[in-house]
Amino acid sequence: MAPLSRARIVAAAIDLIEREGADAISMRRIAADLGVGVMSLYNHVPNKAALLDAVAEAVLSQISFDDDPSAEWTERVRIQARAFRQIAHGYPRSTMVVVSRQLKSPAGLFPVERALATLRDAGFDGEDAVQILRAFIAYIIGSLLREVGVTPTFAPGNLGGADLPPDVDTTLFPEVSAVATHLCAGDHEKSFEYGLDMLIRAIAVQLRESKAAGRGGARG
Amino acid sequence: MAPLSRARIVAAAIDLIEREGADAISMRRIAADLGVGVMSLYNHVPNKAALLDAVAEAVLSQISFDDDPSAEWTERVRIQARAFRQIAHGYPRSTMVVVSRQLKSPAGLFPVERALATLRDAGFDGEDAVQILRAFIAYIIGSLLREVGVTPTFAPGNLGGADLPPDVDTTLFPEVSAVATHLCAGDHEKSFEYGLDMLIRAIAVQLRESKAAGRGGARG
DNA sequence: GGGTGGCACGTACGCTGTACGTGCGTCAAT
DNA sequence: ATTGACGCACGTACAGCGTACGTGCCACCC
């Protein structure tokens, strides 16, 4: 048996989360899966919180950014956003863990660096780039939460429908009832791309305004 | 002493969360705060998960929508979005609880109804209204998570700065270092309004395109 | 008066994270 | 070769968790 190591512990934790959900995770289960004693874990990880941080970092660091630096900036931010979403597909149950702990490690900073470079190349000054990036991250995280939150047990049936309780009061919620079909139809990718399109176009508009108003911020 | 009731239990739970954080919540602590036995809680609440759902619903139902139905739709969605953010200010530690459990109750459906009515009044058809709403909710939730996640212990010092570790490698992360000032400066309201502006303008652009392309969706 | 049901409560069980002590294996210095 | 130090796996133990179950009190209706 390979010697116990931090990496093996983190891998086992991710595996367990993906198989049985984030709630099922415990030091004892992880140790059992690894075939070691519980306390052996603490020789490599200070405590459970740190282990979850390590899980978040490991998942996050698997993002692969393959956007072409010479491409149009609109396409680059689109690809970067998709890369984020991709990890949520690879590790759906871990997404909540990643999102719920904010980490200040290089793994978390790397995508930020990439995005800022893209936005500043596009012509935004520092403050606007930061604000735009924040808006993007907020949108992406919110989207991922919706995607993974809607399928807490991964029942294959609720991917297309049964999202809404069937007993919505038609008179109390006329609008909801009217668009119930679309509300229930949960094509996550389509929704994600829809909002992504919106955001990118908004940024493009802002950039034009910014340029029209001369150098400096997009305030106007 | 007033008789134990579901409402009193939920209120005590919210109180406890706000005072000591979401991690500190336990049935025993709640019971102790109420001066009752632990198991008495279970006469009014089936289990802890249901209690947390009730907490989320109680917090969510305190949103007050005072947007003027005759106002411009851009202003209405802005005010509705702010109303959401407002609850995160009233119950900062509970926000994570609200966000992490998706609920299909009237309390959760009411804001949806309101928003859909506004968007459809603005001229969007059902599908676009739903997609736009989803993008908005994603942005708002993502923003709130950032706001409350940055202050897990509510230390008054870290509101303005100290967000970034001081040892960021300048050569590894040149962009991050260059805009570190803006990255650390965390004016949550300003950031929220910045992205909100972006989104609303994006929707306005989309609406114009939609109208220019004739009746129907905004698909161009 | 006698049944019935709601509600507060104590006890108990299996689970959790982790502090602490112990023993084994390997390597460095003598 | 002997000894000491150190790293690491592990068992035990403890406080705290959610909650299943049983008990007893009290208000109610027949």
Side-chain angles (χ1 to χ4, degrees), chain A:
Chain A
M1 189 66 70
L4 199 52
S5 73
R6 182 182 163 98
R8 290 220 310 143
I9 294 174
V10 171
I14 294 177
D15 217 57
L16 180 57
I17 292 177
E18 292 304 325
R19 272 180 310 147
E20 309 196 12
D23 288 343
I25 205 174
S26 81
M27 301 302 270
R28 282 172 165 83
R29 284 282 283 124
I30 295 172
D33 284 9
L34 285 167
V36 302
V38 195
M39 294 318 289
S40 307
L41 303 179
Y42 286 87
N43 287 320
H44 305 269
V45 164
N47 52 48
K48 187 184 182 183
L51 172 56
L52 291 181
D53 281 342
V55 165
E57 184 164 338
V59 170
L60 210 53
S61 68
Q62 291 204 8
I63 302 184
S64 69
F65 287 117
D66 48 2
D67 60 306
D68 178 6
S70 68
E72 189 71 22
W73 67 267
T74 55
E75 207 51 36
R76 292 187 63 194
V77 306
R78 196 188 307 271
I79 287 177
Q80 286 174 27
R82 283 180 187 149
F84 255 104
R85 196 177 101 92
Q86 210 56 35
I87 73 160
H89 274 213
Y91 305 91
R93 319 278 281 260
S94 305
T95 302
M96 195 63 187
V97 174
V98 176
V99 163
S100 64
R101 9 199 90 242
Q102 82 275 22
L103 45 158
K104 321 177 192 300
S105 64
L109 235 47
F110 186 60
V112 171
E113 174 71 18
R114 190 85 163 216
L116 284 177
T118 307
L119 289 172
R120 302 233 292 168
D121 277 355
F124 291 103
D125 70 2
E127 179 168 357
D128 281 321
V130 168
Q131 299 287 30
I132 291 171
L133 174 60
R134 284 194 179 139
F136 250 88
I137 293 176
Y139 170 72
I140 292 170
I141 288 181
S143 296
L144 295 188
L145 274 185
R146 175 165 44 80
E147 290 196 29
V148 303
V150 101
T151 55
T153 53
F154 260 159
N158 62 3
L159 281 177
D163 205 354
L164 216 63
D167 56 352
V168 285
D169 191 328
T170 313
T171 64
L172 247 175
F173 301 104
E175 297 290 340
V176 170
S177 306
V179 300
T181 319
H182 300 116
L183 272 176
C184 294
D187 185 337
H188 293 316
E189 178 161 349
K190 187 175 173 186
S191 292
F192 184 78
E193 294 289 333
Y194 191 103
L196 191 55
D197 257 10
M198 262 180 48
L199 270 170
I200 290 177
R201 268 184 299 181
I203 300 176
V205 168
Q206 187 164 328
L207 186 59
R208 275 199 297 276
E209 288 175 1
S210 168
K211 281 178 178 169
R215 75 190 184 291
R219 279 270 161 268

Side-chain angles (χ1 to χ4, degrees), chain B residues 145-161:
Chain B
L145 274 185
R146 175 166 43 80
E147 290 197 30
V148 303
V150 102
T151 54
T153 53
F154 259 157
N158 62 3
L159 282 177

Side-chain angles (χ1 to χ4, degrees), chain B residues 134-193:
Chain B
R134 283 191 179 142
F136 251 88
I137 292 176
Y139 171 71
I140 293 171
I141 287 181
S143 296
L144 295 188
L145 274 185
R146 175 166 43 80
E147 290 197 30
V148 303
V150 102
T151 54
T153 53
F154 259 157
N158 62 3
L159 282 177
D163 203 357
L164 215 64
D167 55 353
V168 285
D169 191 329
T170 312
T171 63
L172 248 174
F173 301 105
E175 295 291 339
V176 170
S177 305
V179 300
T181 319
H182 299 116
L183 271 176
C184 294
D187 186 337
H188 294 317
E189 178 162 349
K190 188 176 173 186
S191 292
F192 184 78
E193 294 288 334

